[in-house]
Amino acid sequence: MLNFRHLHYFWVVAQEGGFARAAERLDMAIQTVSTQVRELERSLGHQLLKPAGRGVALTEAGQTAFARAEEIFRLGSLIPEEVRQAAQGPAARLAVGLSDGISKLAAHALLAPVLGTESLRLLCHEGEVDPLLAELAMHKLDLVLAGRPAPHKPGLRLSSELLVQAPVDWYGPKTLVHAAELREFPLCLNRLPVLLPTAHSALRGTLDHWFAEQGLQPNIVGEFEDSALMAVFASRGLGVFPVSRLGGEDLERMHGLRLLGHLEEVKEEIHAIRSRRGQHHPLVLQLLDAARRAP
């Protein structure tokens, strides 16, 4: 069997570029270190180090051995932390994909029922819908939250459920939202600076259709993929913006924002998409059940 102590001495010598510096780092005699490395070379049947100036360099065989040694000792360095985590109990892992178009404030509200889970390890991955569905199909994600249902592709073996159909509310900074704007909503959107989700969002198409129906021509000063980022810019005075009512509670904690008006006829949809293999994940089932029972 390979002597890992000899391998470790070789690895240190290669890192330090010489036996003297390696011996100093290991707090050992140079002769001892040299002897151990020579034993490793004999056991492998190949020279690993060659003289190079005042130090040593790796031979081609040595480069291969060093690369493997790097992997071995890097993995070994992870053992203490992984053992500590294992001793504390298994982590409850939940990997969720969030499509670019959905309100991240609403997504946070949907995930809230499981955030108190002991030893939770939550992974949130944001991106375009199709790449997220590919990751879901390969079981890299447990759930995808998207603004549209899964496409009907038998090879993907995915199922989707309309989880949320929440009305949209409008908020804005206190510097822009006064009594007159409250009285004249939604006509006031013709004169106020407006922030909107980008075309990635299914909600944007619904809003554009509603603007046309109402004869509104809003002054769009900003477009955002992330609703939370849009809220931050709005709170700094950039403009008023729409957001799913599901995420409205988070906005109440944000300094400087005021409710402008309710828009019951415009709704944001969020679909929960799962793979067949992932349909029984306990945390996914918990948050889906909470969403179904929500008023």
Side-chain angles (χ1 to χ4, degrees):
M1 289 183 62
L2 181 67
N3 189 313
F4 284 93
R5 179 173 293 182
H6 295 169
L7 182 65
H8 182 254
Y9 294 156
F10 157 74
W11 177 63
V12 174
V13 171
Q15 285 183 320
E16 297 295 334
F19 286 98
R21 289 190 295 272
E24 183 178 353
R25 174 174 156 185
L26 294 166
D27 194 22
M28 298 176 66
I30 295 177
Q31 185 61 38
T32 303
V33 175
S34 176
T35 300
Q36 303 298 326
V37 172
R38 300 295 175 243
E39 285 293 328
L40 176 66
E41 290 179 322
R42 276 193 289 271
S43 68
L44 293 175
H46 295 279
Q47 182 182 354
L48 304 178
L49 298 169
K50 60 184 178 182
R54 296 185 178 181
V56 294
L58 292 165
T59 64
E60 288 191 11
Q63 291 174 11
T64 298
F66 179 74
R68 288 302 185 191
E70 285 271 79
E71 290 183 57
I72 289 169
F73 295 117
R74 180 185 61 80
L75 291 173
S77 69
L78 300 177
I79 291 176
E81 176 62 18
E82 291 179 352
V83 168
R84 184 187 66 80
Q85 291 181 358
Q88 293 176 346
R93 182 182 181 277
L94 177 62
V96 182
L98 305 175
S99 75
D100 285 338
I102 68 169
S103 164
K104 302 309 180 292
L105 294 172
H108 175 266
L110 286 172
L111 294 172
V114 302
L115 296 182
T117 303
E118 187 176 356
S119 301
L120 174 66
R121 185 177 179 184
L122 177 64
L123 169 66
C124 287
H125 182 47
E126 184 178 357
E128 297 283 350
V129 175
D130 290 340
L132 290 177
L133 295 184
E135 291 189 52
L136 182 66
M138 292 186 292
H139 313 300
K140 294 181 179 179
L141 295 174
D142 302 308
L143 175 71
V144 168
L145 299 177
R148 56 179 171 85
H152 296 291
K153 294 181 180 179
L156 287 178
R157 299 172 65 85
L158 301 176
S159 64
S160 60
E161 171 184 346
L162 177 58
L163 201 59
V164 169
Q165 200 171 29
V168 168
D169 293 331
W170 283 78
Y171 285 82
K174 294 178 181 179
T175 54
L176 294 177
V177 180
H178 306 105
E181 284 71 37
L182 297 176
R183 287 194 305 270
E184 297 173 19
F185 179 81
L187 293 178
C188 62
L189 296 177
N190 272 331
R191 65 173 185 272
L192 289 172
V194 171
L195 311 179
L196 290 177
T198 66
H200 284 86
S201 171
L203 178 60
R204 175 60 182 271
T206 305
L207 285 167
D208 287 343
H209 181 71
W210 178 77
F211 289 142
E213 282 187 334
Q214 300 297 315
L216 297 173
Q217 295 181 320
N219 174 28
I220 302 170
V221 299
E223 298 180 64
F224 299 81
E225 290 184 357
D226 188 329
S227 59
L229 184 61
M230 184 161 56
V232 170
F233 275 83
S235 70
R236 300 296 191 270
L238 187 60
V240 300
F241 68 104
V243 66
S244 167
R245 189 170 300 170
L246 185 61
E249 292 183 3
D250 287 328
L251 291 180
E252 294 174 3
R253 305 187 187 98
M254 187 170 290
H255 179 70
L257 288 179
R258 176 177 292 173
L259 177 66
L260 174 61
H262 298 295
L263 198 56
E264 301 293 339
E265 60 267 42
V266 175
K267 293 180 170 59
E268 179 180 29
E269 292 187 354
I270 297 181
H271 297 258
I273 306 175
R274 294 179 287 169
S275 65
R276 293 184 183 179
R277 178 176 170 181
Q279 285 185 346
H280 304 294
H281 191 297
L283 294 181
V284 172
L285 294 176
Q286 182 180 337
L287 69 87
L288 293 185
D289 183 59
R292 294 176 189 129
R293 289 187 285 104

